[in-house]
Amino acid sequence: MKKLLAILCSIMMIPVALAENVCPLCGGTSDQCLTDDIGAVYCSGTLVSYPIEQNLTSYTVREGTRIIGEYAFDNLLIQEVSLPEGVVMIGEGAFWDCISLRHVELPDSLLVIGDSAFCNCRELTEVVLPSHLYAIGPSAFVDCWKLTSIDIPETVRYIGSEAFCNTGLTEVWWRPVFFETGFCVFDPDELYSKARPKTVHVSEVLLEDEIGDIANFCAEYEDRYGITFVMDIPYAWD
């Protein structure tokens, strides 16, 4: 009987022991998670959180990181962040309200910029989008007042609603191939009449069955918002 009780007790203790090894942030085992020397937490290749009490002006994300987690840097006064090669996704709100962020180095490996990723980064003056980028989420750069130009690579297949709303954009280079856009990518409201791009360069559209839709999209924006589209596309009827 004592032996049976001992066995039952040992079985009942196993879940407790396992629970102690589970990371409370990501649900993975603790050996998959680590905290760097300033207190940033990484779990299974994802930067989960950056310590809000840190007053550093710059930070380099550690090698081997694949994802910048949701709201990992939100509401920080950091000015510069460098992402290593291998990062494929910036999660929702990752740099939300980083009002002092001036520069972020995006790697060529980046595929997705999530919803509201750089929302209200008021000091962000320049963003170089990587050549393999696939999707830009809704409100990704909304309220980036000092962002004056953007080159959207031809690999981008989706741009979410209001992705570049209320920015300082004056020029946009855009190569829409197999594109899908949300509502009012550049500007949704007459209240932002001084914050919409003045010129959008549209070029390198190669697929004839897409050309009509793109031309109609551009014409609608010209009529509604007074944006000038510089059209350099081979119309199907030419």
Side-chain angles (χ1 to χ4, degrees):
M1 186 67 177
K2 292 182 179 179
K3 185 175 183 181
L4 180 59
L5 287 174
I7 293 173
L8 288 173
C9 288
S10 64
I11 292 174
M12 292 175 65
M13 291 176 63
I14 290 175
V16 176
L18 290 176
E20 291 176 351
N21 292 325
V22 172
C23 172
L25 294 175
C26 74
T29 58
S30 59
D31 60 354
Q32 295 175 312
C33 304
L34 62 88
T35 301
D36 69 9
D37 55 357
I38 67 161
V41 179
Y42 293 83
C43 294
S44 302
T46 297
L47 171 57
V48 177
S49 68
Y50 181 93
I52 195 169
E53 66 274 8
Q54 285 289 346
N55 293 317
L56 298 177
T57 58
S58 64
Y59 180 70
T60 299
V61 174
R62 70 186 299 270
E63 294 291 334
T65 302
R66 299 277 290 168
I67 297 172
I68 307 301
E70 296 182 1
Y71 302 97
F73 289 92
D74 74 307
N75 200 30
L76 295 178
L77 296 178
I78 198 162
Q79 297 179 17
E80 184 173 351
V81 176
S82 179
L83 307 183
E85 193 64 31
V87 170
V88 296
M89 179 178 180
I90 297 175
E92 178 179 345
F95 294 92
W96 179 291
D97 244 6
C98 289
I99 59 175
S100 298
L101 184 67
R102 300 184 181 188
H103 177 73
V104 58
E105 185 176 334
L106 303 179
D108 288 339
S109 56
L110 186 65
L111 300 176
V112 177
I113 296 176
D115 301 7
S116 304
F118 294 95
C119 175
N120 204 30
C121 292
R122 303 175 187 176
E123 295 295 322
L124 193 62
T125 58
E126 180 183 13
V127 174
V128 179
L129 298 180
S131 58
H132 295 95
L133 188 66
Y134 185 86
I136 301 172
S139 302
F141 293 94
V142 69
D143 292 334
C144 291
W145 299 344
K146 292 188 178 181
L147 186 63
T148 58
S149 67
I150 198 77
D151 189 341
I152 302 173
E154 62 185 20
T155 55
V156 171
R157 299 295 184 265
Y158 170 76
I159 304 176
S161 299
E162 303 181 12
F164 296 99
C165 161
N166 199 22
T167 64
L169 288 173
T170 57
E171 285 195 301
V172 177
W173 282 263
W174 185 31
R175 304 170 185 83
V177 180
F178 278 134
F179 79 109
E180 178 185 354
T181 61
F183 178 72
C184 296
V185 169
F186 297 108
D187 201 333
D189 198 313
E190 287 299 326
L191 293 175
Y192 300 142
S193 60
K194 294 182 180 179
R196 65 172 56 95
K198 305 299 187 296
T199 305
V200 178
H201 299 268
V202 183
S203 63
E204 298 184 20
V205 179
L206 304 177
L207 301 170
E208 291 186 358
D209 58 344
E210 297 285 318
I211 291 172
D213 290 340
I214 293 167
N216 290 336
F217 175 86
C218 295
E220 179 182 354
Y221 263 80
E222 286 187 333
D223 291 341
R224 291 180 62 184
Y225 302 126
I227 298 172
T228 299
F229 284 82
V230 179
M231 306 293 286
D232 181 21
I233 61 178
Y235 287 98
W237 51 85
D238 286 348

